[in-house]
PDB file of all heavy atoms in Angstrom:
ATOM      1  N   VAL V1655     -36.050-154.941 -67.256  1.00 91.00           N
ATOM      2  CA  VAL V1655     -34.956-155.265 -66.353  1.00 91.00           C
ATOM      3  C   VAL V1655     -35.473-156.139 -65.194  1.00 91.00           C
ATOM      4  O   VAL V1655     -34.841-157.105 -64.777  1.00 91.00           O
ATOM      5  CB  VAL V1655     -34.306-153.988 -65.808  1.00 91.00           C
ATOM      6  CG1 VAL V1655     -33.110-154.328 -64.932  1.00 91.00           C
ATOM      7  CG2 VAL V1655     -33.897-153.065 -66.937  1.00 91.00           C
ATOM      8  N   LYS V1656     -36.675-155.808 -64.719  1.00 91.00           N
ATOM      9  CA  LYS V1656     -37.273-156.575 -63.622  1.00 91.00           C
ATOM     10  C   LYS V1656     -37.593-158.002 -64.081  1.00 91.00           C
ATOM     11  O   LYS V1656     -37.453-158.949 -63.301  1.00 91.00           O
ATOM     12  CB  LYS V1656     -38.559-155.894 -63.140  1.00 91.00           C
ATOM     13  CG  LYS V1656     -38.328-154.528 -62.483  1.00 91.00           C
ATOM     14  CD  LYS V1656     -39.639-153.951 -62.000  1.00 91.00           C
ATOM     15  CE  LYS V1656     -39.440-152.585 -61.363  1.00 91.00           C
ATOM     16  NZ  LYS V1656     -40.706-151.981 -60.914  1.00 91.00           N
ATOM     17  N   ILE V1657     -38.024-158.137 -65.329  1.00 91.00           N
ATOM     18  CA  ILE V1657     -38.349-159.475 -65.873  1.00 91.00           C
ATOM     19  C   ILE V1657     -37.096-160.361 -65.839  1.00 91.00           C
ATOM     20  O   ILE V1657     -37.126-161.504 -65.375  1.00 91.00           O
ATOM     21  CB  ILE V1657     -38.881-159.367 -67.299  1.00 91.00           C
ATOM     22  CG1 ILE V1657     -40.255-158.700 -67.325  1.00 91.00           C
ATOM     23  CG2 ILE V1657     -38.960-160.742 -67.967  1.00 91.00           C
ATOM     24  CD1 ILE V1657     -40.749-158.357 -68.729  1.00 91.00           C
ATOM     25  N   ILE V1658     -35.993-159.813 -66.329  1.00 92.00           N
ATOM     26  CA  ILE V1658     -34.749-160.593 -66.385  1.00 92.00           C
ATOM     27  C   ILE V1658     -34.263-160.939 -64.972  1.00 92.00           C
ATOM     28  O   ILE V1658     -33.856-162.068 -64.686  1.00 92.00           O
ATOM     29  CB  ILE V1658     -33.667-159.825 -67.149  1.00 92.00           C
ATOM     30  CG1 ILE V1658     -34.099-159.666 -68.630  1.00 92.00           C
ATOM     31  CG2 ILE V1658     -32.310-160.520 -67.065  1.00 92.00           C
ATOM     32  CD1 ILE V1658     -33.179-158.797 -69.468  1.00 92.00           C
ATOM     33  N   LYS V1659     -34.367-159.953 -64.057  1.00 92.00           N
ATOM     34  CA  LYS V1659     -33.925-160.186 -62.661  1.00 92.00           C
ATOM     35  C   LYS V1659     -34.796-161.245 -62.010  1.00 92.00           C
ATOM     36  O   LYS V1659     -34.286-162.165 -61.341  1.00 92.00           O
ATOM     37  CB  LYS V1659     -33.968-158.884 -61.870  1.00 92.00           C
ATOM     38  CG  LYS V1659     -33.420-159.043 -60.454  1.00 92.00           C
ATOM     39  CD  LYS V1659     -33.353-157.727 -59.724  1.00 92.00           C
ATOM     40  CE  LYS V1659     -32.775-157.897 -58.329  1.00 92.00           C
ATOM     41  NZ  LYS V1659     -32.712-156.601 -57.578  1.00 92.00           N
ATOM     42  N   LEU V1660     -36.123-161.149 -62.203  1.00 92.00           N
ATOM     43  CA  LEU V1660     -37.028-162.145 -61.602  1.00 92.00           C
ATOM     44  C   LEU V1660     -36.753-163.522 -62.170  1.00 92.00           C
ATOM     45  O   LEU V1660     -36.791-164.537 -61.445  1.00 92.00           O
ATOM     46  CB  LEU V1660     -38.499-161.766 -61.854  1.00 92.00           C
ATOM     47  CG  LEU V1660     -39.543-162.719 -61.299  1.00 92.00           C
ATOM     48  CD1 LEU V1660     -39.433-162.839 -59.784  1.00 92.00           C
ATOM     49  CD2 LEU V1660     -40.956-162.268 -61.698  1.00 92.00           C
ATOM     50  N   SER V1661     -36.481-163.601 -63.466  1.00 91.00           N
ATOM     51  CA  SER V1661     -36.170-164.887 -64.100  1.00 91.00           C
ATOM     52  C   SER V1661     -34.927-165.517 -63.478  1.00 91.00           C
ATOM     53  O   SER V1661     -34.906-166.710 -63.182  1.00 91.00           O
ATOM     54  CB  SER V1661     -35.991-164.694 -65.594  1.00 91.00           C
ATOM     55  OG  SER V1661     -35.610-165.916 -66.225  1.00 91.00           O
ATOM     56  N   ARG V1662     -33.911-164.701 -63.279  1.00 91.00           N
ATOM     57  CA  ARG V1662     -32.668-165.230 -62.695  1.00 91.00           C
ATOM     58  C   ARG V1662     -32.868-165.656 -61.246  1.00 91.00           C
ATOM     59  O   ARG V1662     -32.351-166.716 -60.817  1.00 91.00           O
ATOM     60  CB  ARG V1662     -31.577-164.179 -62.795  1.00 91.00           C
ATOM     61  CG  ARG V1662     -31.105-163.908 -64.239  1.00 91.00           C
ATOM     62  CD  ARG V1662     -30.157-162.733 -64.356  1.00 91.00           C
ATOM     63  NE  ARG V1662     -29.722-162.536 -65.745  1.00 91.00           N
ATOM     64  CZ  ARG V1662     -28.946-161.525 -66.124  1.00 91.00           C
ATOM     65  NH1 ARG V1662     -28.547-160.598 -65.266  1.00 91.00           N
ATOM     66  NH2 ARG V1662     -28.582-161.424 -67.399  1.00 91.00           N
ATOM     67  N   LEU V1663     -33.618-164.863 -60.486  1.00 92.00           N
ATOM     68  CA  LEU V1663     -33.899-165.223 -59.095  1.00 92.00           C
ATOM     69  C   LEU V1663     -34.718-166.522 -59.026  1.00 92.00           C
ATOM     70  O   LEU V1663     -34.469-167.376 -58.200  1.00 92.00           O
ATOM     71  CB  LEU V1663     -34.661-164.095 -58.401  1.00 92.00           C
ATOM     72  CG  LEU V1663     -33.870-162.810 -58.075  1.00 92.00           C
ATOM     73  CD1 LEU V1663     -34.800-161.732 -57.556  1.00 92.00           C
ATOM     74  CD2 LEU V1663     -32.785-163.098 -57.047  1.00 92.00           C
ATOM     75  N   THR V1664     -35.705-166.626 -59.896  1.00 89.00           N
ATOM     76  CA  THR V1664     -36.578-167.780 -59.932  1.00 89.00           C
ATOM     77  C   THR V1664     -35.785-169.055 -60.246  1.00 89.00           C
ATOM     78  O   THR V1664     -35.935-170.095 -59.582  1.00 89.00           O
ATOM     79  CB  THR V1664     -37.712-167.612 -60.961  1.00 89.00           C
ATOM     80  OG1 THR V1664     -38.485-166.455 -60.624  1.00 89.00           O
ATOM     81  CG2 THR V1664     -38.614-168.824 -60.990  1.00 89.00           C
ATOM     82  N   TYR V1665     -34.935-168.959 -61.254  1.00 88.00           N
ATOM     83  CA  TYR V1665     -34.119-170.106 -61.655  1.00 88.00           C
ATOM     84  C   TYR V1665     -33.190-170.541 -60.517  1.00 88.00           C
ATOM     85  O   TYR V1665     -33.049-171.748 -60.228  1.00 88.00           O
ATOM     86  CB  TYR V1665     -33.300-169.760 -62.890  1.00 88.00           C
ATOM     87  CG  TYR V1665     -32.486-170.905 -63.442  1.00 88.00           C
ATOM     88  CD1 TYR V1665     -33.068-171.928 -64.191  1.00 88.00           C
ATOM     89  CD2 TYR V1665     -31.115-170.988 -63.197  1.00 88.00           C
ATOM     90  CE1 TYR V1665     -32.318-172.963 -64.688  1.00 88.00           C
ATOM     91  CE2 TYR V1665     -30.363-172.032 -63.691  1.00 88.00           C
ATOM     92  CZ  TYR V1665     -30.960-173.014 -64.457  1.00 88.00           C
ATOM     93  OH  TYR V1665     -30.205-174.056 -64.929  1.00 88.00           O
ATOM     94  N   ALA V1666     -32.575-169.565 -59.849  1.00 89.00           N
ATOM     95  CA  ALA V1666     -31.651-169.879 -58.734  1.00 89.00           C
ATOM     96  C   ALA V1666     -32.399-170.612 -57.622  1.00 89.00           C
ATOM     97  O   ALA V1666     -31.881-171.602 -57.075  1.00 89.00           O
ATOM     98  CB  ALA V1666     -31.006-168.593 -58.221  1.00 89.00           C
ATOM     99  N   LYS V1667     -33.586-170.136 -57.303  1.00 88.00           N
ATOM    100  CA  LYS V1667     -34.368-170.761 -56.238  1.00 88.00           C
ATOM    101  C   LYS V1667     -34.781-172.198 -56.637  1.00 88.00           C
ATOM    102  O   LYS V1667     -34.758-173.115 -55.804  1.00 88.00           O
ATOM    103  CB  LYS V1667     -35.630-169.947 -55.953  1.00 88.00           C
ATOM    104  CG  LYS V1667     -35.392-168.724 -55.090  1.00 88.00           C
ATOM    105  CD  LYS V1667     -34.962-169.096 -53.699  1.00 88.00           C
ATOM    106  CE  LYS V1667     -34.637-167.861 -52.865  1.00 88.00           C
ATOM    107  NZ  LYS V1667     -33.942-168.226 -51.598  1.00 88.00           N
ATOM    108  N   MET V1668     -35.146-172.384 -57.894  1.00 84.00           N
ATOM    109  CA  MET V1668     -35.539-173.707 -58.357  1.00 84.00           C
ATOM    110  C   MET V1668     -34.366-174.695 -58.260  1.00 84.00           C
ATOM    111  O   MET V1668     -34.527-175.839 -57.793  1.00 84.00           O
ATOM    112  CB  MET V1668     -36.033-173.638 -59.791  1.00 84.00           C
ATOM    113  CG  MET V1668     -37.408-173.009 -59.942  1.00 84.00           C
ATOM    114  SD  MET V1668     -37.923-172.960 -61.672  1.00 84.00           S
ATOM    115  CE  MET V1668     -39.584-172.288 -61.517  1.00 84.00           C
ATOM    116  N   ILE V1669     -33.184-174.243 -58.674  1.00 85.00           N
ATOM    117  CA  ILE V1669     -31.992-175.119 -58.615  1.00 85.00           C
ATOM    118  C   ILE V1669     -31.666-175.467 -57.173  1.00 85.00           C
ATOM    119  O   ILE V1669     -31.364-176.618 -56.837  1.00 85.00           O
ATOM    120  CB  ILE V1669     -30.803-174.435 -59.321  1.00 85.00           C
ATOM    121  CG1 ILE V1669     -31.056-174.344 -60.829  1.00 85.00           C
ATOM    122  CG2 ILE V1669     -29.521-175.207 -59.055  1.00 85.00           C
ATOM    123  CD1 ILE V1669     -31.207-175.644 -61.553  1.00 85.00           C
ATOM    124  N   GLN V1670     -31.699-174.434 -56.282  1.00 87.00           N
ATOM    125  CA  GLN V1670     -31.418-174.685 -54.855  1.00 87.00           C
ATOM    126  C   GLN V1670     -32.376-175.741 -54.304  1.00 87.00           C
ATOM    127  O   GLN V1670     -31.972-176.667 -53.606  1.00 87.00           O
ATOM    128  CB  GLN V1670     -31.585-173.369 -54.056  1.00 87.00           C
ATOM    129  CG  GLN V1670     -30.506-172.337 -54.345  1.00 87.00           C
ATOM    130  CD  GLN V1670     -30.882-170.984 -53.768  1.00 87.00           C
ATOM    131  OE1 GLN V1670     -31.804-170.859 -52.970  1.00 87.00           O
ATOM    132  NE2 GLN V1670     -30.149-169.953 -54.160  1.00 87.00           N
ATOM    133  N   ASN V1671     -33.670-175.593 -54.612  1.00 82.00           N
ATOM    134  CA  ASN V1671     -34.664-176.519 -54.085  1.00 82.00           C
ATOM    135  C   ASN V1671     -34.510-177.924 -54.656  1.00 82.00           C
ATOM    136  O   ASN V1671     -34.690-178.920 -53.951  1.00 82.00           O
ATOM    137  CB  ASN V1671     -36.078-175.997 -54.395  1.00 82.00           C
ATOM    138  CG  ASN V1671     -36.521-174.955 -53.393  1.00 82.00           C
ATOM    139  OD1 ASN V1671     -35.811-174.643 -52.436  1.00 82.00           O
ATOM    140  ND2 ASN V1671     -37.704-174.395 -53.579  1.00 82.00           N
ATOM    141  N   LEU V1672     -34.169-177.996 -55.953  1.00 78.00           N
ATOM    142  CA  LEU V1672     -33.982-179.316 -56.584  1.00 78.00           C
ATOM    143  C   LEU V1672     -32.818-180.066 -55.924  1.00 78.00           C
ATOM    144  O   LEU V1672     -32.885-181.267 -55.667  1.00 78.00           O
ATOM    145  CB  LEU V1672     -33.780-179.161 -58.076  1.00 78.00           C
ATOM    146  CG  LEU V1672     -35.027-178.873 -58.917  1.00 78.00           C
ATOM    147  CD1 LEU V1672     -34.640-178.631 -60.368  1.00 78.00           C
ATOM    148  CD2 LEU V1672     -36.001-180.057 -58.810  1.00 78.00           C
ATOM    149  N   TRP V1673     -31.712-179.346 -55.700  1.00 82.00           N
ATOM    150  CA  TRP V1673     -30.553-179.972 -55.080  1.00 82.00           C
ATOM    151  C   TRP V1673     -30.871-180.446 -53.662  1.00 82.00           C
ATOM    152  O   TRP V1673     -30.488-181.555 -53.279  1.00 82.00           O
ATOM    153  CB  TRP V1673     -29.381-179.005 -55.036  1.00 82.00           C
ATOM    154  CG  TRP V1673     -28.539-179.027 -56.296  1.00 82.00           C
ATOM    155  CD1 TRP V1673     -28.450-178.062 -57.237  1.00 82.00           C
ATOM    156  CD2 TRP V1673     -27.707-180.092 -56.708  1.00 82.00           C
ATOM    157  NE1 TRP V1673     -27.620-178.470 -58.240  1.00 82.00           N
ATOM    158  CE2 TRP V1673     -27.134-179.697 -57.960  1.00 82.00           C
ATOM    159  CE3 TRP V1673     -27.343-181.352 -56.199  1.00 82.00           C
ATOM    160  CZ2 TRP V1673     -26.253-180.496 -58.670  1.00 82.00           C
ATOM    161  CZ3 TRP V1673     -26.459-182.152 -56.913  1.00 82.00           C
ATOM    162  CH2 TRP V1673     -25.943-181.727 -58.127  1.00 82.00           C
ATOM    163  N   TRP V1674     -31.589-179.614 -52.912  1.00 80.00           N
ATOM    164  CA  TRP V1674     -31.926-180.025 -51.538  1.00 80.00           C
ATOM    165  C   TRP V1674     -32.900-181.202 -51.549  1.00 80.00           C
ATOM    166  O   TRP V1674     -32.732-182.186 -50.818  1.00 80.00           O
ATOM    167  CB  TRP V1674     -32.506-178.858 -50.752  1.00 80.00           C
ATOM    168  CG  TRP V1674     -32.989-179.297 -49.427  1.00 80.00           C
ATOM    169  CD1 TRP V1674     -34.272-179.583 -49.055  1.00 80.00           C
ATOM    170  CD2 TRP V1674     -32.179-179.590 -48.278  1.00 80.00           C
ATOM    171  NE1 TRP V1674     -34.315-180.010 -47.755  1.00 80.00           N
ATOM    172  CE2 TRP V1674     -33.033-180.029 -47.238  1.00 80.00           C
ATOM    173  CE3 TRP V1674     -30.810-179.507 -48.020  1.00 80.00           C
ATOM    174  CZ2 TRP V1674     -32.582-180.384 -45.978  1.00 80.00           C
ATOM    175  CZ3 TRP V1674     -30.349-179.874 -46.764  1.00 80.00           C
ATOM    176  CH2 TRP V1674     -31.222-180.296 -45.759  1.00 80.00           C
ATOM    177  N   ALA V1675     -33.956-181.102 -52.411  1.00 74.00           N
ATOM    178  CA  ALA V1675     -35.003-182.093 -52.422  1.00 74.00           C
ATOM    179  C   ALA V1675     -34.469-183.468 -52.814  1.00 74.00           C
ATOM    180  O   ALA V1675     -34.915-184.506 -52.284  1.00 74.00           O
ATOM    181  CB  ALA V1675     -36.112-181.660 -53.370  1.00 74.00           C
ATOM    182  N   ALA V1676     -33.516-183.492 -53.751  1.00 72.00           N
ATOM    183  CA  ALA V1676     -33.011-184.785 -54.227  1.00 72.00           C
ATOM    184  C   ALA V1676     -31.748-185.177 -53.472  1.00 72.00           C
ATOM    185  O   ALA V1676     -31.503-186.380 -53.243  1.00 72.00           O
ATOM    186  CB  ALA V1676     -32.703-184.701 -55.725  1.00 72.00           C
ATOM    187  N   GLY V1677     -30.963-184.181 -53.023  1.00 74.00           N
ATOM    188  CA  GLY V1677     -29.651-184.463 -52.469  1.00 74.00           C
ATOM    189  C   GLY V1677     -29.665-185.168 -51.108  1.00 74.00           C
ATOM    190  O   GLY V1677     -28.830-186.035 -50.834  1.00 74.00           O
ATOM    191  N   TYR V1678     -30.656-184.841 -50.247  1.00 74.00           N
ATOM    192  CA  TYR V1678     -30.621-185.418 -48.902  1.00 74.00           C
ATOM    193  C   TYR V1678     -30.868-186.937 -48.925  1.00 74.00           C
ATOM    194  O   TYR V1678     -30.511-187.661 -48.011  1.00 74.00           O
ATOM    195  CB  TYR V1678     -31.616-184.724 -47.980  1.00 74.00           C
ATOM    196  CG  TYR V1678     -33.030-185.253 -48.020  1.00 74.00           C
ATOM    197  CD1 TYR V1678     -33.514-186.042 -46.978  1.00 74.00           C
ATOM    198  CD2 TYR V1678     -33.872-184.991 -49.079  1.00 74.00           C
ATOM    199  CE1 TYR V1678     -34.811-186.537 -47.005  1.00 74.00           C
ATOM    200  CE2 TYR V1678     -35.164-185.478 -49.126  1.00 74.00           C
ATOM    201  CZ  TYR V1678     -35.635-186.263 -48.080  1.00 74.00           C
ATOM    202  OH  TYR V1678     -36.907-186.750 -48.108  1.00 74.00           O
TER     203      TYR V1678
END
Side-chain angles (χ1 to χ4, degrees):
V1655 184
K1656 294 181 181 180
I1657 292 171
I1658 295 173
K1659 185 174 181 181
L1660 178 61
S1661 176
R1662 291 172 178 175
L1663 288 173
T1664 300
Y1665 183 78
K1667 282 293 176 192
M1668 287 180 176
I1669 293 297
Q1670 290 168 13
N1671 278 358
L1672 284 175
W1673 273 109
W1674 173 261
Y1678 87 105

